[in-house]
Amino acid sequence: SLRLRCENRDGLMRAGGRPRPPVVEHHGSSDTLPLFCTLLVAMNARAIADRRLMTMRARSLRRDSTDAEKRLWSALRDRRLEGIRFRRQVVVCRYVADFCSANPKLIIELDGIQYEDQRSYDEARTRYLAAQGYLVLRFWNGDVLAHLGDVLNAIAEEIRKASARSE
């Protein structure tokens, strides 16, 4: 019989942003090995293709940033807020996050007028990312454009809370 164990390691990344390969064990007889290898190659090919599509999507989103994203990014980049390194339009698990910090695990999402149309999708996405250990903060584009200082204060407060919890 063929026994297969795959660990889901979607969220774990190597340096440079390359995904770690899944951990797979083969506990079957030697005559099942060709089937196992075929299965493993198919799984890996799909994961690589999915990852490439997500990366292409993230690049496109970086290139076509909204005014609110550009304004917030200018305030977050180069560790300007609380010394925390943020990345923008980055693949996190199976989603593309607007802004992401690895330490603390924080994701910032900006919502525009289309948010009402995709509310259930965004709620499911937030639950999934929270299950991966991320705190997800959401702000309206209009708030970022009109009240950037207040938005940055709210983000800084959450960073301080996360730092206090980890100590």
Side-chain angles (χ1 to χ4, degrees):
S1 79
L2 175 68
R3 291 188 316 165
L4 174 67
R5 179 178 69 89
C6 295
E7 289 183 7
N8 181 0
R9 298 172 71 175
D10 284 340
L12 300 178
M13 303 298 289
R14 292 183 188 152
R18 295 185 322 261
R20 293 185 189 273
V23 176
V24 181
E25 297 175 354
H26 175 261
H27 295 287
S29 64
S30 61
D31 59 329
T32 62
L33 190 57
L35 172 64
F36 173 75
C37 291
T38 303
L39 176 64
L40 183 59
V41 167
M43 287 171 42
N44 197 30
R46 178 163 184 199
I48 290 171
D50 289 348
R51 179 71 186 180
R52 284 187 181 144
L53 286 174
M54 293 296 290
T55 301
M56 288 170 48
R57 173 85 174 125
R59 284 182 187 148
S60 170
L61 289 169
R62 280 192 294 270
R63 195 173 40 247
D64 302 327
S65 296
T66 65
D67 290 340
E69 289 170 343
K70 289 175 187 173
R71 186 137 184 236
L72 184 57
W73 177 239
S74 69
L76 295 177
R77 64 183 300 160
D78 298 328
R79 301 177 191 262
R80 291 179 184 168
L81 184 67
E82 299 288 318
I84 301 298
R85 178 177 182 249
F86 282 93
R87 294 169 44 203
R88 69 184 176 119
Q89 301 299 352
V90 62
V91 177
V92 178
C93 302
R94 59 185 186 207
Y95 297 103
V96 178
D98 288 340
F99 302 95
C100 179
S101 162
N103 189 15
K105 289 182 87 169
L106 176 66
I107 290 176
I108 301 168
E109 289 292 321
L110 299 184
D111 297 321
I113 56 174
Q114 79 284 357
Y115 176 70
E116 291 299 324
D117 298 336
Q118 61 184 33
R119 180 175 287 224
S120 62
Y121 169 81
D122 284 340
E123 288 171 354
R125 174 184 164 165
T126 298
R127 281 192 305 274
Y128 178 82
L129 293 169
Q132 303 304 311
Y134 286 94
L135 172 63
V136 180
L137 301 178
R138 291 191 166 279
F139 298 97
W140 291 100
N141 285 344
D143 289 340
V144 171
L145 294 172
H147 309 287
L148 181 62
D150 294 338
V151 170
L152 293 174
N153 287 338
I155 296 168
E157 181 63 30
E158 290 300 328
I159 290 171
R160 283 188 224 101
K161 287 179 187 177
S163 296
R165 281 189 296 259
S166 66
E167 293 176 355

